[in-house]
Every structure is written in structure tokens, then in C-alpha cells.
Amino acid sequence: MGVALTRLAQWTAAGYETGTLEITPLNESILNEITKFVESFSYKYPQEAKFVFVEPLEWKTYLEPSAFELGYVVSATTAESEETGKDGQPLLFLSVPYIKVRSFGQLSQLLSIATDSKLQEAQACIEANRDPVVKILGPDYNEMKEDPTRLTLLDTIIKDKETYMKRKVAILLKQLDLHLLNHSLKYISLEISLNPGTFKKDIELLKRFSGKGEQTVLESIEYTSDYEFSNGCRAPPWRQIQGEICYVLVKPHDMETLCLTCSTEGVFLNGGKTEEEGEINYERKGEIYKDLVTCLKDKSPVFSENMSKHGGNQTATVIALCSMRDFNLAQETCQLAIRDVGGLEVLINLLDTDEVKCKIGSLKILKEISHNPQIRRNIVDLGGLPIMVNILDSPHKSLKCLSAETIANVAKFKRARRAVRQHGGITKLVALLDCGQNSTEPTQPSLYETRDVEVARCGALALWSCSKSHSNKEAIRKAGGIPLLARLLKTSHENMLIPVVGTLQECASEENYRAAIKAERIIENLVKNLNSENEQLQEHCAMAIYQCAEDEETRDLVRLHGGLKPLASLLNNTDNKERLAAVTGAIWKCSISKENVIKFREYKAIETLVGLLTDQPEEVLVNVVGALGECCQEYENRVLVRKCGGIQPLVNLLVGINQALLVNVTKAVGACAVEPESMAIIDRLDGVRLLWSLLKNPHPDVKASAAWALCPCIENAKDAGEMVRSFVGGLELVVNLLKSDNKEVLASVCAAITNIAKDQENLAVITDHGVVPLLSKLANTNNDKLRRHLAEAISRCCMWGRNRVAFGEHKAVAPLVRYLKSNDTNVHRATAQALYQLSEDADNCITMHENGAVKLLLDMVGSPDQDLQEAAAGCISNIRRLALATEKARYN
């Protein structure tokens, strides 16, 4: 890590010691790799994660103390880990705004807490700790001369465990360093060097504008040799070794002929051509210039004046633009060089001229360099987007295309997308999808049709970028974009279909769009294009289906139009991970409908999904596990997953850190646990303990999903009571979750408590932990899902000691009576059962009677739900018995 940061990371001008990391693709890549390494450290290397650093890593954090929950002691301005080193000091200590961390375990946990700001935390840490290896391991371990990939025999028998652990951590850090060096190779740009092609284009352009007259820039320019080697050079081989490419004789209007050497280093004046033998004197005379034009401007005042006289002559401008295009515009160094010399301002100013060729030349360059994130922002800052939006009205289709393509590149960030919309760009881009017949260009049918398709394609590309904004999606819809996109979806041009489907894929996240997509019969064409040979098109069609299949009717349409079979078939092609992620996502959402699950079982998709549970990227795993979670709602599929060996890889995924993956895998494991044989495997693999540990996860969705999954586990375990008690501190943890503010967490925990409380010993323990007051505190809720599971939990907890009385004392009875006014029958049944249990206490009966329970319960005695009938009748009976006893006492 030290070598990579020193040699590869790009620091600001202040330098490695005092500067900050620049915002570059290379730095972002390095930060991402370091973050992945640290995030996964705890579960990959649990022992090494406990190693205490020689010195803490300290930096200015973006986190607040409130972000730290279980495992930390938190105050208004501080947070410290309960985990400490041998010296008793916490391994993480935050005193706003500075944080100190002393182990990889705590670093890993911190990144999990940071979520969206994890890259910022990593950057701040690296900037503040320039040589982290020294702080982690001490100066003796800064460099390792031994083989970093293995431990020697001597290492394995070292008696000093601390030294041994330090050695293992050092090896892991060395391996990370090597990984960073290898990973970063693709981001390292080679230095720009001139080549034969560059000079050839420059010389040919200057020849076109050479000759007699005021409109020419030179009298003549020609090579000294007509022979061209296979590598494009005209210099003799022994001079090519010196980097020389060719020699040219240039006759300016104001001076004698110049003999110039063109080399990889640049252009310079040589000793000229001898008259006797016609040989070149290769000796350099004077300085080296970066290119041919720069050299001639310096040598010839007339050449320089003509070039300047023309910074508004279209010819000279086109020459300059063509020269710029000779550079490798895909290379970041070239892109930034154009910006740094003021080229962006010039290019954008050219867009505001009346010269079509200049606009085209400028846009061709802007289109290429706007792939760079920094350049995009500079273009917006310089006011380039409004000018490009105006060009979309041009009658020249080439200009429209180039402008739309450049907008597509620039509109990759929020501010740019907003600027396009605010300057009327969305309406104009939508209009390109229906390109009109007005054109000043040739109108031969074949050319016209091709140009029309290209205009629409470029418009769709720009809309695809712009559609990542909610406001822009709405603007596209209001501008009539959906019918036009639907029409283009029927075309056979694959290069058109990709941006069209991409735009629909983005927009399908909005409910309004999903309704319109159904109305325009777009699903049918998305399904049709799943059978395309183009992998990118297949990917975006699958992704669009994934977005739309949130809707039940859409899921049915995918099935009716035959979309499930190609989706199942595409599961077998695993090389393209982006497509695989889209396909598994579509299968996941389609699996929400039982009819679709039957089809997927018929197409053998479930077995294939099980095979994808290992060695896949997280975005694929999230979808695969999500699909299996839906499929396993049915008995046949649960058995199938077990027989295919799916339980173990599912349980293995419970140790991950990806929030979405954990939510899905807990659901899948919970679904499998309904089947006793699967539950036995889950228990044997320690799956229940892993689920229980996820109740400590900082993300509410993960907590809730884990709690829901524990319900069938407890219900179907052989000795559930003993199993639950075996988790040290587990019952206290569950009860404490009743303090959560999240309704889904509360509902799931109540459901778990209902199952836990079936065991009398466990019920006694959770009662001691204060389950009654905590459940009572939740009673005033309008959420029917929470009401149902809360009522069930209260009903179960009434079975111990004086809990019935305690619920009354904590004011839980009156709110429960109000639950009977709900429209949900499940709430009615659970509430009636809870009230029946509570009505065993006389004071509770009085409270129920005072709150009108009898009338509400009488209406439910006639319910077709037998459990509801019995509970309502039993409760009324208890209330009536109390009333009779009261009257009798009064009479006596």
C-alpha cells in the first residue's frame, strides 16, 4: 500500500508530504480497491482483524457519534469502541471531528457505518496518514525483502504470537500493495510522443493551403525523400534509432527554404541539405518545438501573421482543429492539456459562430474529450451546454448528431442534467426522436434515411444520460417521449435500440412510466429483443424488465409474451457479468408472481440459480438470492434448492457486508427454514447464530429481514428453546430492538418474540429483560403490520407470571381495543387473542368494557375465521363473568 500510494496516487501540487489526493480516475480506482480490502478484512481474516496497530490512524472524519450504535459507548461529541487493546484503550475513539482507529476490525466496521461516505473517509484517512504501513506495523516492517506470498517454516513456529500476527498482517499489506500496482496499470497514461501519422496529417493539411496568393500560409512544403518505410517513417533506419521520423523542406512567403527534422521529441531546424551530394546535415540547429505549426510560427512572421489573420478564417480554424484531432483525444493527458492551454474556451466560442465546418470540428473534439469527468464540469462552467442545446435546432443533421452526442457525454452529473432541462434541451432532444423532413443536406433516400436514424440515435443517447434525473424523466414524458421511444423500439437498428432501451430502463423506475410502458405495449418489444444476438441490447432489455416488473400486470405480460424462457436461457451465459446482473434482476422481480415461478421451475432456472450462488459479483448475488427467496415460498422449490446443494452457499453469504445482499439472503434462508430437513442443515451450519448476529447490523432493513428469518428457524428447530438460549446475550438483544424507531424492525422483532415466547424458560428471561413495558409502549400505533405482530407477541407474553396484570398497568389494553376497528382481518384475529389472554385479569376487563370492546367483539363472534370467533367469544365471556361477579358482590 505504501509503494502504490507513493508511486501511483496523484497528489496536488503541494506534493506527497503536504498535498491532497487529486480527483482523478486513477485515485478513485485506488481508493475503491483499498476500501474493498478493508471492508472485507473482518470476515476474511478474523484473527488478523484483531491485531492492534503500533500507532493509531488518525484523521478528520465526516461521521457523527450518533452513527455508532451497538458495540460503542456514545455521547453527544464522542464515541468509543467497547473493544479495547491490551492497554485498556478503545480500538476506536471519536472526538468530533477527529477519529483514531487501531485495528482493521474497527476500520472495517467504520466503513460499514459510513455507507455513502466510505470513499470520503478512505481519502481523508490516506491524506492524513501518508505512510499508513509504518503506523500499522512500525518502521521495522515498512519494507519486506522476503517473499511476500507465503510464510516460512520459521514463521510458523515463532513463539511470540504478536510478532507472528504482525508478520501475517505485513504479508497481507504487501499483497494489497502488489494488487494496487497491477490494478492501476490500465489507468497509467504513457507520455505523449509524436508519431509518423501525426506529422503526415500536418504536412498534408499544410500542402492543401500552400502556394501563391494571400490566402495561402506557405509557398510550399515537401518531404526530402519519397520513400516511406512500413512504419510510416521516411528517415534512414540509423536515424530512426535516434527518434527521427522524416525531414521536410518548407518555403515560407518571407524567407529562404527551411530544412526541418520531425522527431518523436518534436520539430527542429537541422543543418540543411548539402548542394554537392544532396545529403541532410542532421545536426540540430536551435531549440525543439512541440509541433510543425509552432516551429513555423516562430521562424516565419508571415506564416504566423497569416495564421492569426485568418483566430476568424474558417480555413485556418479547420487546420487548427484537424491538428488537435491528431492527438490521442482518448488519453487523459491530452484532454487536460487542451483545457490547461485555454482550448476549451476556444472550442466553445467556435460553437457560437456561423461557420458550420468550425462548429463540426469543434464538436468532434468536444465529443471525444468530454468523456473526462473534469472536462465535463469545465464545459458546464464555461456555459457550453446552452449553446449545444441551441445547435439541436440546426437544419444540419451532422451538427444535431454531434451536439446530442456531446450532451450525452456531458450530462453524466446532476448539475449538467439540470442545465439541459432548464435551457429547453429535453424537448429538443425528444424532437430528434421524430426527425422532421426539413434539411439543407442532400436528400437521396438512402442517405436521408441513414441520417434520420443517426439523428434519432444520438437524441436517444442524450436522453439516456439525462434520464438519470427524476425531473428530466418527467420532462421526457411530458414532451411526448414515450410513444416515440416505443416506435423506435420496433426498429431493426441495434445501435438505435441500445440507447432507446437504456432510456426506457432508467425511466421505468418511475410509476408513471411503468403505466405508460404497458399502455404503449413496450413490454412485448423488450421481450422480443431478449432474443437478439447483441449482448448489450439483451442486458438493457433485461434491466428494463427488472425495473418494470415491480408491477404485477407487467410480470404477467412478460410471461404471456414468452419472456421467461429467454431469461432462463440467458442464465447459462455467465461471462458477461453486467448482462448476468440484469437477467438475474429481471428473474428476481418476475419471480414475485407464483405463475412465473412455476414456469421458471419448468425451464430448470432454479437449479441454474443455485449454481450461481458462488464465484459471482455482489450485484449478481443480490439478484440470484432475491429470486431464490421468492421461489422458496413454495414447498417444491424449497426441496429443490436443498437437493441442489443450495443451503450451504446461502448460509455462507450471511457473513457478507452488502446490505442488499444480506436483506435478500436472510429472506431466502428464512424461506428454506420452513422445510424441516433444510432447517436441520441451516442449524448444523450455524446459520441461526449468523442470523442472530445480523440483529446487530447497523442497517434497519437487515435487522428486520434477519428477525423475520429467525421466526421459521425457531418454529422448525428441534429444540428451539435450548437453541435460543445458547446464544449468549441473544434474548437481551432481541428485547432491546423494541426500542427501534423503524416500523419494519419492530414488526419483525415482535414476530420473533412471539416464537421465542413459546418456550416458558425463554419467556421468563425476556420478561426479566423488560419485554412487557417495551411492548406496551408500542401499543399506540396505526400501522396494521405492527399491530398484528405486536398483538400476537402480547398474547404469548401473557402466559408468564403476572404479565397480564403488567400489560394493564403499562396502559396497553385500551390501545389494543382500538385495533378492532382496523380493516385487516389478521389484525382482528391477533387482537382478539391478545384481549382474550388479557381478560383473565379483572382490571383489564374493566378497561376493555370502558373502551367499548364488547360491541366490537360481538360483531366478530360471527366471523368465518374460527380462531377469531373463539377468541372474541372467550374475551366476551370473561368480561361478562366479571360483570356478573361484580353484581353478585353488590347484591350480597
Side-chain angles (χ1 to χ4, degrees), residues 162-354:
E162 188 173 340
T163 304
Y164 174 61
M165 190 57 63
K166 182 184 285 192
R167 173 70 176 170
K168 290 180 74 175
V169 172
I171 289 172
L172 292 174
L173 290 176
K174 193 69 176 179
Q175 289 171 344
L176 171 63
D177 211 27
L178 290 171
H179 170 72
L180 290 176
L181 288 167
N182 290 325
H183 178 81
S184 301
L185 284 177
K186 63 181 178 181
Y187 291 96
I188 299 173
S189 299
L190 297 174
E191 292 184 3
I192 299 174
S193 63
L194 298 169
N195 57 64
T198 304
F199 288 116
K200 190 171 186 177
K201 289 179 182 177
D202 282 352
I203 293 166
E204 285 176 356
L205 274 169
L206 289 170
K207 274 185 179 180
R208 287 167 57 190
F209 300 104
S210 295
K212 303 294 182 181
E214 293 182 2
Q215 295 300 316
T216 60
V217 293
L218 293 169
E219 279 192 20
S220 65
I221 179 170
E222 59 184 19
Y223 293 106
T224 60
S225 170
D226 292 330
Y227 184 77
E228 183 177 326
F229 290 91
S230 59
N231 61 2
C233 292
R234 294 173 188 257
W238 61 88
R239 299 305 302 178
Q240 290 184 34
I241 295 172
Q242 307 298 321
E244 294 176 7
I245 294 171
C246 65
Y247 313 98
V248 287
L249 296 172
V250 183
K251 179 62 176 76
H253 288 296
D254 57 342
M255 60 190 306
E256 294 301 316
T257 301
L258 303 172
C259 190
L260 302 175
T261 298
C262 300
S263 75
T264 54
E265 293 183 9
V267 178
F268 55 84
L269 188 68
N270 58 43
K273 203 170 184 181
T274 60
E275 293 183 8
E276 297 82 12
E277 300 178 5
E279 295 293 328
I280 301 290
N281 179 355
Y282 301 114
E283 184 180 354
R284 176 163 65 88
K285 304 291 183 181
E287 63 181 298
I288 300 176
Y289 298 87
K290 66 177 184 178
D291 55 44
L292 201 51
V293 173
T294 305
C295 176
L296 291 172
K297 277 186 173 182
D298 186 61
K299 299 294 181 186
S300 168
V302 171
F303 178 85
S304 180
E305 183 183 350
N306 285 349
M307 289 293 286
S308 303
K309 182 173 66 178
H310 298 300
N313 177 285
Q314 185 178 4
T315 301
T317 305
V318 169
I319 291 175
L321 290 171
C322 289
S323 297
M324 287 177 74
R325 290 190 66 205
D326 286 340
F327 290 100
N328 181 4
L329 296 179
Q331 195 172 51
E332 186 180 31
T333 318
C334 286
Q335 296 163 353
L336 298 179
I338 290 172
R339 180 198 65 179
D340 294 342
V341 299
L344 280 182
E345 290 90 334
V346 175
L347 291 168
I348 290 170
N349 287 338
L350 286 173
L351 297 181
D352 227 358
T353 66
D354 295 327

Side-chain angles (χ1 to χ4, degrees), residues 85 109 124 333 411 417 432 459 524 659 741 768 857:
Q109 182 68 11
T333 318
R417 290 191 284 267
L432 296 188
E524 182 178 352
Q659 179 185 350
D741 296 326
D768 289 343
L857 288 166

Side-chain angles (χ1 to χ4, degrees), residues 101 157 247-248 264 418 554 571 574 685 723 763 769 782 892:
V101 182
I157 57 173
Y247 313 98
V248 287
T264 54
R418 183 170 62 241
T554 300
L571 278 179
T574 60
L685 295 171
M723 177 186 74
L763 176 54
H769 285 309
N782 295 319
N892 291 335

